[in-house]
Amino acid sequence: MPHENGVAFRLWAPHADAVSIVGSFNDWEPTAMPMKQEEAGNWYLDVAEAKIGDEYRYLLTCGDKEVSRMDPRAREVTNSVGNSVVHNPVFDWGDDNYQLPPWNELVIYEMHLGTFHRSEEDTSGTFADAIRRLDHLVQLGVNVVQLMPLCEFAGDVSWGYNPAQIFAVESTYGGPRGFKRFVKAAHQRGIGVIQDVVYNHFGPSDLDIWQFDLWEQNGMGGIYFYNDWRSKTPWGDTRPDYGRGEVRQFIYDNARMWIDDYHVDGLRYDMTLYMRSVDGSDELPDGWNLAQWINQDIQRDCPGTLLIAEDLQSNDYITKHASEGGAHFSSQWDAEFVHPVRDVASQPDDAGRDLNKLIRAITFRYNINSFERVIYTESHDEVANGKSRLPSEIAPDAPTDGYARHRSTLAAGVMMTSPGIPMLFQGQEFLQDGWFQDTDPLDWDRKEEFPGVVSLYRDLVHHRLNRHGVTKGLTGQDVVVYHRNDQNKLLAYHRWLDHGLGDDVIVVLNFSHQTIENYTVGFPSGGTWKLRFNSAASVYNATFVSSTVAELDADDRPYDGMTHSGTLSISPYSLLIYSQDPES
């Protein structure tokens, strides 16, 4: 805790017999600065000689043993096995007062900082590198980036889900000041930032808090961890003790730090199933009510903050209000969308495409709010761990050819036209193939190689956000799938916010390899309906291009339960969006 006359230090180590501070301010002398014992296992010392930028560690005497530890709450470290650094929290945020748009006007872009953009091929990406590519996201139209975990992890290369020091920003990426500069730069461009946090486990490697003051039971992790059967996770016996007050406060303060100190606009909690249960069946009420406590306080103090759970169990209570027994998250990653849509898109034969799966994916919602779900066709999990980018899943030997390109972008079109908060994974917009690896940077040359695909994603994003003022219905809660043709693998659905000109939207999907000509579907009103988007348009470098109806007049013959009907044509594996001009 830096102040005008030095730096104050406080440490929780209830089983230590003595604690000293060693650092660059006392030549690392073991006995020069003993700390004073306080209540509840805390130790304290105010050091006049210490200043911003000094390195330090704690030296704990525990019985006849002595151990050197990093500060568990250090905001800055030299590396995951190095020293803690006295961090200067002051930062010039300027006039930064960014607020997220409403949830129905969000498009998220998931980013792994180490691979998103690298200025040098053999180094990890940094915050400064990523800032140089933010204008690409502006042009694409996305308005939120979701960053995979940034807290200090073991080594220099990682997905980030192995947190070693949860209060310190990864030094390889540029540390805490680098992150603040990134958030400020994103906000200046109208882009919000969501931070991925990992509270279902810590470590498991380079974990300095393991048996921190040498107390443990059953050979487990000591004061920060469960020391019984509740410790078990898919990542070792590393689950924090959600029932212990000091550990709860540790996690609570960390969540608040990202919001309060770094100005992030939301948090995405990694795999909450392992916060609220041991193995998906043995429940942990302490983990559930910890999430409730954090989420309620953040939403009370910072209205509009987006709190996302990765739970993937289709559990309504994740996004219910805490007063109803819910975990009080804003939204959750939706397994009910990603898995069926990828399945339908990657089937080798049209006969295997199950429209029931597709319809359920389009219409599913949690509770009464469609925006309580984040929908996607690619994420870091879905394009690794034995799975690939969707074009490579569709055609492993030819991921950029017509079939893979059309079906993967058709799946993205379903995402952008279904109710929910859509999310892209980095590089999806220029047909990145293969699978995600933290050692393999994005190939930005593909942006120039596939400009049509980039334009397709840009136009989808712009229509989803009603940037042209003619697709307002895509920001709405509601959808009705009103036309279905199992033989031709064709669906039509109706989207709206308030109804009316420029609001009602009709989406038509063709999930078959056949061109469908002069095909009649229902329309909700008469008048002229204009084709706003055709994923098979030649401007997108489409392979299967056939005749389309750019403008049609819906006549008053009822059809599909609608009051009017119209005739259109649609290319193989493509999506059409129709709407009407608003009144001038």
Side-chain angles (χ1 to χ4, degrees), residues 374-396:
V374 176
I375 54 178
Y376 53 96
T377 61
E378 294 191 1
S379 73
H380 69 268
D381 278 331
E382 294 300 328
V383 300
N385 297 321
K387 294 174 284 187
S388 300
R389 299 274 190 162
L390 189 51
S392 294
E393 288 283 316
I394 293 169

Side-chain angles (χ1 to χ4, degrees), residues 447-482:
K447 181 182 176 185
E448 309 305 324
E449 185 179 355
F450 301 106
V453 177
V454 177
S455 296
L456 183 151
Y457 274 93
R458 179 202 63 202
D459 291 350
L460 275 173
V461 171
H462 286 195
H463 285 306
R464 170 64 184 79
L465 297 177
N466 192 32
R467 292 277 172 86
H468 304 302
V470 294
T471 52
K472 188 177 180 182
L474 294 181
T475 69
Q477 284 273 2
D478 297 305
V479 61
V480 170
V481 180
Y482 66 88

Side-chain angles (χ1 to χ4, degrees), residues 70 77-82 112-115 118 124-127 147-175 195-196 198 201-208 258 436 438-439:
M70 298 171 74
V77 297
T78 57
N79 58 67
S80 61
V81 292
H112 176 255
L113 201 90
T115 58
R118 294 179 177 178
S124 184
T126 66
F127 294 114
L147 294 166
M148 290 170 65
L150 299 175
C151 57
E152 189 73 27
F153 48 71
D156 295 337
V157 176
S158 172
W159 288 23
Y161 297 98
N162 53 333
Q165 295 279 138
I166 69 169
F167 282 85
V169 176
E170 172 58 35
S171 50
T172 305
Y173 290 162
Q195 176 55 41
D196 203 333
V198 185
H201 74 286
F202 294 147
S205 58
D206 290 7
L207 198 54
D208 214 50
W258 301 112
F436 170 67
D438 52 23
T439 56

Side-chain angles (χ1 to χ4, degrees), residues 402-559:
Y403 284 105
R405 186 163 74 246
H406 277 262
R407 297 213 305 259
S408 66
T409 54
L410 174 54
V414 175
M415 170 185 68
M416 285 294 178
T417 57
S418 295
I421 301 174
M423 182 182 75
L424 300 173
F425 185 61
Q426 62 175 33
Q428 182 175 350
E429 72 277 17
F430 44 71
L431 222 64
Q432 187 77 42
D433 57 8
W435 60 88
F436 170 67
Q437 302 178 81
D438 52 23
T439 56
D440 189 10
L442 285 186
D443 181 0
W444 283 93
D445 289 342
R446 299 176 77 92
K447 181 182 176 185
E448 309 305 324
E449 185 179 355
F450 301 106
V453 177
V454 177
S455 296
L456 183 151
Y457 274 93
R458 179 202 63 202
D459 291 350
L460 275 173
V461 171
H462 286 195
H463 285 306
R464 170 64 184 79
L465 297 177
N466 192 32
R467 292 277 172 86
H468 304 302
V470 294
T471 52
K472 188 177 180 182
L474 294 181
T475 69
Q477 284 273 2
D478 297 305
V479 61
V480 170
V481 180
Y482 66 88
H483 182 95
R484 164 181 190 162
N485 184 323
D486 285 279
Q487 181 177 352
N488 291 329
K489 302 301 179 184
L490 187 142
L491 290 179
Y493 46 96
H494 178 201
R495 296 292 315 282
W496 70 92
L497 179 65
D498 300 311
H499 288 300
L501 300 175
D503 187 317
D504 284 298
V505 171
I506 294 300
V507 181
V508 185
L509 310 177
N510 179 7
F511 259 101
S512 81
H513 70 286
Q514 300 287 345
T515 298
I516 300 174
E517 303 273 9
N518 301 315
Y519 192 83
T520 299
V521 298
F523 281 83
S525 60
T528 301
W529 288 80
K530 294 184 177 181
L531 180 63
R532 308 300 183 180
F533 176 84
N534 172 16
S535 65
S538 57
V539 69
Y540 303 136
N541 301 335
T543 306
F544 316 124
V545 181
S546 54
S547 61
T548 54
V549 178
E551 192 171 292
L552 62 85
D553 290 314
D555 59 44
D556 57 5
R557 290 178 299 166
Y559 200 77

Side-chain angles (χ1 to χ4, degrees), residues 340-388:
V341 172
R342 282 176 68 96
D343 175 78
V344 170
S346 59
Q347 287 293 322
D349 299 311
D350 291 346
R353 303 188 208 288
D354 186 344
L355 294 189
N356 287 322
K357 290 182 178 180
L358 203 56
I359 292 169
R360 177 172 169 80
I362 292 166
T363 59
F364 187 82
R365 66 169 67 180
Y366 294 98
N367 304 306
I368 58 171
N369 188 347
S370 296
F371 301 102
E372 289 183 9
R373 68 173 187 158
V374 176
I375 54 178
Y376 53 96
T377 61
E378 294 191 1
S379 73
H380 69 268
D381 278 331
E382 294 300 328
V383 300
N385 297 321
K387 294 174 284 187
S388 300

